[in-house]
Amino acid sequence: MKPTLQLKTSQHLTLTPQLQESIRLLQLSTLELNQEIERLAQENPLLELDDSVGSGIEYLGALEAGVEPLSADLMEIPEEGGSKLLSEDSLDSKKEAGETDWLPDDSGSRGMRDDDDERDFPQQAAEPQSLREHLNSQLSLSQIPERDRKIVGLLIDSLDDDGYLAQDLEELVDLLPPELEIDIDDLHIARELLQHLDPAGVGARNLRECLVMQLQALPEDTPYRDQALLLVGNHLESLASRDFCAIKKLLHCDDDCLRSIQNLITRLNPRPGMAFSSAVARYIIPDVIVTKIGGVWVANLNPEAMPRLRINRLYADILKRYSDDSTRRLAGQLNEAKWLIKNVLQRFSTILKVSAAVVERQQQFFEHGPVAMRPMVLREIASTLDLHESTISRVTTQKFMRTPRGIFELKYFFGSHVATDTGGVCSATAIRALIKQLISAEEGKKPLSDSQISEILGQQGIMVARRTVAKYRESMHIPPVNLRKSV
């Protein structure tokens, strides 16, 4: 066959760099968006974070009107415009003409500070003391030989975050250099010394030993201390499985006595090292706030979650008045800053549209709680707003809504449904709420099994299988029936 040329027409979607950047910003959480904007502001001199702008809603309104705060002529800057850097002659001519209003006013910034003025240095929070530092401080005050102190310090370095000495001592002695002349007996003595330090239970090898050490540290006249030591030391598995009948026979006690012993044990700390953990809590910044106005629940953007961006006025004025190929890079950075502001605007506009559609369909949830949740899927919102389903998925991921009932991820309002005997459907979230209500109201001595919960829901017209109830119960981290039994 001879090679031939053929013309064929077809359609395909091309993602421009601006569209790719818009999609990337849309799927970021609020915290990640703020971090990304701070990074871009450091790299791009044309982009600034402006905290002097009023509320985020005013800022959004200014952007929608095509006016950038504090720089009304931003959108009039030509896309391909450039500028040339000012020479000394041009600076002199500008000064003679009196046109120096565009220069930054740094008068006084180089002046001498008053010696009586206090310098405002930022105060940094003190680092919390770690478990290793806490134990070493006690070890330095102890009256033990220097060699034993170093061996105990070696075991302190082997503790995990919970304060347990999980590594076997025989394995540890094999890892030590022979020239240290440390044998297994030295490690056993060091472990005994470590277990006498504060907090009680540190240096334990397992949960049983940790609880026993904490009970032994209590005063001898503590009520039910001896019974708790016997129970934890020999019958901890029976307590974990809540076999209360066997425990009462072993301890020769009644329900009140067993309840007091159980309360004493539950007050112990199974993870003594967690009090010194340096984990930093991550706070959620809601993107949308739901309020009730005129008897109707409505969604509004959270002003605190909206970054306030602007173009640097100094560089923008220079680019407007002068154009040259030497400042082409600066003009490109100006376009990048403008595109970022537009993408941020589009991101929050899309979030608001999706949130408003969700709130409109879940009015009963805000009135009555999760039991009134309406079944809803992403396709329903996508068809209503004429958006792609993947866009709705990006908007609802890691975006949060603050309501009078708490803070929820937008994904929370979407879920599968279960058929009812009347031909309708019930949301999976509502079924989880009903299961939680039934379990919270059950009798402690006779908790409801998954089969009984399934029967109760069936009597209410919701047809749910036993294994479905078990799946929903496990998703809410509710233990099975045998572990919910109480004395």
Side-chain angles (χ1 to χ4, degrees):
M1 296 179 61
K2 295 182 179 180
T4 58
L5 296 177
Q6 294 181 351
L7 295 177
K8 185 182 297 184
T9 59
S10 62
Q11 293 181 349
H12 66 278
L13 178 63
T14 302
L15 294 179
T16 62
Q18 292 80 10
L19 181 58
Q20 295 177 5
E21 180 70 10
S22 177
I23 294 175
R24 189 177 68 87
L25 293 179
L26 184 61
Q27 63 187 6
L28 295 179
S29 64
T30 302
L31 181 61
E32 294 171 342
L33 176 66
N34 292 331
Q35 294 175 350
E36 180 69 10
I37 289 177
E38 289 180 1
R39 183 186 67 83
L40 295 175
Q42 293 177 358
E43 297 177 355
N44 192 342
L46 270 299
L47 185 65
E48 288 184 342
L49 295 175
D50 185 19
D51 295 332
S52 62
V53 184
S55 66
I57 297 178
E58 295 174 356
Y59 179 79
L60 181 61
L63 286 178
E64 289 177 343
V67 179
E68 199 273 333
L70 301 183
S71 183
D73 53 355
L74 165 65
M75 299 304 174
E76 300 177 0
I77 300 177
E79 294 289 338
E80 302 298 332
S83 70
K84 62 179 179 179
L85 296 179
L86 297 181
S87 61
E88 295 182 0
D89 296 338
S90 59
L91 286 175
D92 294 337
S93 62
K94 286 291 180 181
K95 290 179 181 179
E96 293 176 359
E99 299 177 5
T100 57
D101 56 334
W102 54 270
L103 291 174
D105 184 12
D106 57 354
S107 60
S109 61
R110 302 178 184 177
M112 298 299 293
R113 294 179 58 94
D114 191 354
D115 294 338
D116 296 334
D117 292 343
E118 296 182 357
R119 296 180 179 269
D120 297 330
F121 292 103
Q123 297 182 357
Q124 297 181 355
E127 289 290 337
Q129 189 179 34
S130 64
L131 177 63
R132 180 175 180 272
E133 295 172 348
H134 178 68
L135 295 175
N136 283 326
S137 63
Q138 301 176 63
L139 190 61
S140 62
L141 300 176
S142 62
Q143 302 296 327
I144 62 175
E146 182 66 22
R147 183 174 183 273
D148 292 342
R149 186 182 292 112
K150 291 182 179 180
I151 299 176
V152 176
L154 177 65
L155 296 183
I156 291 175
D157 294 336
S158 302
L159 296 176
D160 59 13
D161 294 336
D162 295 334
Y164 285 85
L165 186 61
Q167 190 172 10
D168 187 76
L169 295 183
E170 295 181 355
E171 297 179 358
L172 183 59
V173 74
D174 293 336
L175 297 176
L176 296 176
E179 56 269 16
L180 295 179
E181 299 181 355
I182 298 177
D183 55 15
I184 189 66
D185 294 334
D186 296 329
L187 293 181
H188 281 294
I189 296 174
R191 185 179 62 190
E192 292 292 334
L193 296 174
L194 172 62
Q195 292 179 352
H196 283 84
L197 299 178
D198 180 74
V202 69
R205 291 165 290 183
N206 49 55
L207 177 61
R208 184 193 307 274
E209 186 176 14
C210 178
L211 298 180
V212 168
M213 291 167 55
Q214 295 183 51
L215 289 171
Q216 291 175 346
L218 296 176
E220 294 184 359
D221 58 349
T222 302
Y224 306 103
R225 172 179 176 270
D226 296 336
Q227 295 91 329
L229 276 171
L230 178 61
L231 179 58
V232 172
N234 301 314
H235 309 289
L236 187 60
E237 292 79 7
S238 300
L239 180 61
S241 60
R242 295 178 177 266
D243 190 359
F244 298 122
C245 293
I247 293 175
K248 287 188 290 185
K249 292 180 180 180
L250 291 171
L251 299 181
H252 305 287
C253 63
D254 54 8
D255 290 343
D256 294 336
C257 178
L258 179 57
R259 191 177 296 108
S260 300
I261 296 173
Q262 186 181 13
N263 292 335
L264 177 60
I265 296 175
T266 54
R267 287 200 300 266
L268 303 177
N269 186 6
R271 305 168 71 182
M274 287 301 296
F276 301 89
S277 177
S278 59
V280 179
R282 297 187 63 182
Y283 296 93
I284 294 176
I285 302 177
D287 301 87
V288 179
I289 299 176
V290 178
T291 54
K292 193 173 186 179
I293 301 177
V296 180
W297 295 96
V298 295
N300 294 299
L301 291 175
N302 181 13
E304 300 299 329
M306 300 175 59
R308 294 144 174 89
L309 302 173
R310 72 167 186 175
I311 300 298
N312 185 286
R313 294 187 62 178
L314 174 62
Y315 289 103
D317 290 340
I318 293 176
L319 287 174
K320 284 190 62 178
R321 293 172 179 159
Y322 304 94
S323 62
D324 197 302
D325 294 339
S326 60
T327 56
R328 184 174 300 173
R329 179 184 177 186
L330 200 61
Q333 290 176 331
L334 173 61
N335 292 330
E336 293 176 0
K338 291 168 59 177
W339 272 110
L340 176 64
I341 295 176
K342 293 180 180 178
N343 288 335
V344 170
L345 167 63
Q346 184 178 5
R347 176 186 185 273
F348 282 100
S349 298
T350 307
I351 292 176
L352 181 58
K353 290 179 182 178
V354 174
S355 301
V358 170
V359 172
E360 181 182 357
R361 285 162 176 76
Q362 299 293 353
Q363 292 284 320
Q364 295 301 318
F365 165 81
F366 300 105
E367 289 288 344
H368 307 289
V371 293
M373 179 74 77
R374 169 186 171 182
M376 186 171 59
V377 293
L378 298 176
R379 190 182 307 108
E380 179 180 350
I381 302 297
S383 60
T384 302
L385 301 179
D386 196 17
L387 296 173
H388 197 272
E389 191 172 343
S390 62
T391 302
I392 306 299
S393 178
R394 292 187 181 96
V395 171
T396 56
T397 302
Q398 295 185 352
K399 313 299 186 302
F400 296 90
M401 177 184 293
R402 192 182 76 187
T403 71
R405 298 187 177 275
I407 297 179
F408 302 94
E409 188 180 11
L410 291 182
K411 283 282 189 185
Y412 174 79
F413 298 94
F414 297 86
S416 57
H417 61 272
V418 176
T420 62
D421 57 355
T422 59
V425 291
C426 182
S427 171
T429 304
I431 296 176
R432 290 189 183 93
L434 291 174
I435 294 174
K436 190 174 182 180
Q437 285 184 359
L438 292 174
I439 293 178
S440 62
E442 67 184 2
E443 186 179 355
K445 294 184 178 180
K446 294 181 180 179
L448 297 174
S449 64
D450 295 338
S451 299
Q452 293 174 328
I453 295 176
S454 177
E455 293 176 0
I456 295 175
L457 293 177
Q459 295 173 0
Q460 298 180 5
I462 303 174
M463 312 306 297
V464 183
R466 181 199 61 81
R467 57 180 176 272
T468 304
V469 174
K471 182 181 70 173
Y472 289 165
R473 174 181 54 76
E474 293 173 357
S475 66
M476 293 183 291
H477 304 287
I478 298 177
V481 58
N482 62 318
L483 297 182
R484 299 201 308 271
K485 186 183 300 183
S486 60
V487 182

